[in-house]
Amino acid sequence: MVLDLICVHSYIGFTRLERAVARWRKQGGVIEIRFAPFELAPGAPTTGSPLAAAPPNRSAGCAPATTADQASRTPTRKAN
């Protein structure tokens, strides 16, 4: 079995597999699971590199939306 530790789909699949294995063993079945290593990018540099440039003023949190931004996202309702 190859498992990506940070992938939510891998996690869900693994937990489902664990439950199925537990049911199988409870019924007297025998199963062996072997985890295989997998290197996604074997040629990647060991020094690392940024995936994307950090957004400006990141430490300040999210920038507040302008009135125009808020107006474009606010649904309009018709009066009854």
Side-chain angles (χ1 to χ4, degrees):
M1 175 175 200
V2 178
L3 181 67
D4 182 350
L5 297 175
I6 62 170
C7 174
V8 68
H9 302 288
S10 289
Y11 175 77
I12 291 169
F14 178 71
T15 56
R16 289 181 177 179
L17 176 65
E18 280 186 315
R19 291 181 200 147
V21 167
R23 286 192 304 268
W24 180 251
R25 287 181 176 156
K26 190 175 181 178
Q27 295 173 2
V30 177
I31 189 168
E32 178 183 330
I33 299 173
R34 187 170 36 113
F35 288 92
F38 179 76
E39 190 171 2
L40 184 62
T46 57
T47 56
S49 61
L51 294 175
N57 208 6
R58 186 177 185 123
S59 63
C62 296
T66 64
T67 306
D69 290 337
Q70 291 172 345
S72 68
R73 286 185 259 139
T74 305
T76 56
R77 295 184 186 170
K78 292 182 178 181
N80 291 336

